[in-house]
């Protein structure tokens, strides 16, 4: 699966260590909208360090979506634990949203694992994210309160 998957004029492939700073920069940009929805700039994706991203890189897979000019415009991460693939940090550059690129990234990460259960979470206020995950076959299985004002919805996709 190392080959590049072309998405219109974009390509999806595994990220390398040399891509992680650019992906972290994209993360800081992409998660501004989530922070605005939550009215909270103190969310974990905006505080993550390069060392933590490197740790996630070694723990699982990070994919990147690159435009024709070589700019990373999207990314997603996943890792296996027991019989579950944990999917996280699906992000698309704000200028490229609402064109199906998040859907393409989510579909692509699933190809890297032979597991039959995928799990992810998002804020209950992130309606667009929840809709995307539902379109891709994910269903809510849990909700958890994180502090006084933040609730997460946990979603899973079971194949077979």
């Amino acid at each position: 699966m190392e080959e590049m998957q072309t998405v219109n004029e974009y390509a999806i492939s595994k990220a390398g260590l040399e891509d992680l700073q650019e992906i972290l920069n994209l993360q800081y940009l992409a998660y501004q909208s989530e922070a605005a929805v939550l009215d909270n700039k103190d969310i974990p994706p905006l505080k993550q360090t390069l060392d933590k991203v490197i740790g996630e890189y070694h723990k699982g897979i990070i994919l990147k979506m690159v435009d024709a000019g070589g700019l990373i415009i999207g990314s997603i991460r996943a890792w296996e634990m027991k019989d579950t693939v944990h999917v996280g940090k699906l992000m698309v550059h704000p200028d490229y949203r609402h064109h199906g690129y998040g859907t393409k990234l989510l579909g692509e990460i699933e190809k890297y694992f032979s597991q039959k259960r995928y799990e992810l979470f998002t804020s209950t206020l992130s309606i667009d994210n929840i809709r995307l995950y539902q379109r891709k076959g994910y269903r809510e299985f849990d909700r958890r309160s994180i502090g006084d004002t933040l609730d997460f919805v946990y979603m899973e996709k079971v194949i077979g």
Side-chain angles (χ1 to χ4, degrees):
M1 291 234 184
E2 294 298 322
E3 74 277 357
M4 304 274 277
Q5 300 296 320
T6 301
V7 182
N8 295 332
E9 64 271 24
Y10 306 98
I12 300 172
S13 65
K14 274 186 169 182
L17 280 169
E18 69 279 1
D19 298 314
L20 299 185
Q21 182 62 61
E22 187 176 350
I23 288 170
L24 183 60
N25 295 345
L26 172 63
Q27 179 175 311
Y28 291 151
L29 178 64
Y31 275 87
Q32 294 299 320
S33 58
E34 187 75 4
V37 166
L38 300 174
D39 194 27
N40 181 358
K41 293 276 191 189
D42 196 33
I43 61 174
L46 296 181
K47 299 188 309 185
Q48 191 170 29
T49 65
L50 182 58
D51 285 342
K52 294 286 187 189
V53 177
I54 291 169
E56 290 178 355
Y57 173 86
H58 290 298
K59 181 179 176 182
I61 294 173
I62 300 178
L63 296 182
K64 63 181 177 177
M65 177 181 272
V66 180
D67 73 3
L71 177 70
I72 296 175
I73 61 158
S75 183
I76 190 169
R77 303 171 201 175
W79 64 94
E80 291 181 79
M81 187 185 320
K82 298 184 181 174
D83 294 328
T84 298
V85 175
H86 296 269
V87 178
K89 303 281 190 326
L90 172 58
M91 65 189 93
V92 174
H93 189 289
D95 293 345
Y96 293 84
R97 289 184 181 154
H98 307 294
H99 296 288
Y101 300 128
T103 301
K104 296 286 187 191
L105 282 162
L106 187 56
E108 194 64 29
I109 198 76
E110 291 174 357
K111 295 177 184 177
Y112 281 84
F113 297 93
S114 61
Q115 301 301 108
K116 304 220 183 291
R117 182 178 185 274
Y118 299 85
E119 180 178 318
L120 51 78
F121 67 90
T122 191
S123 161
T124 55
L125 300 176
S126 300
I127 303 304
D128 287 344
N129 293 351
I130 293 169
R131 252 185 274 171
L132 163 65
Y133 302 142
Q134 288 173 333
R135 279 195 313 269
K136 290 296 290 178
Y138 287 78
R139 299 290 171 249
E140 179 179 337
F141 73 91
D142 194 14
R143 284 184 185 237
R144 299 182 195 157
S145 291
I146 311 296
D148 293 336
T149 59
L150 181 58
D151 293 323
F152 284 145
V153 57
Y154 287 77
M155 303 180 81
E156 67 181 350
K157 180 177 181 178
V158 180
I159 300 173

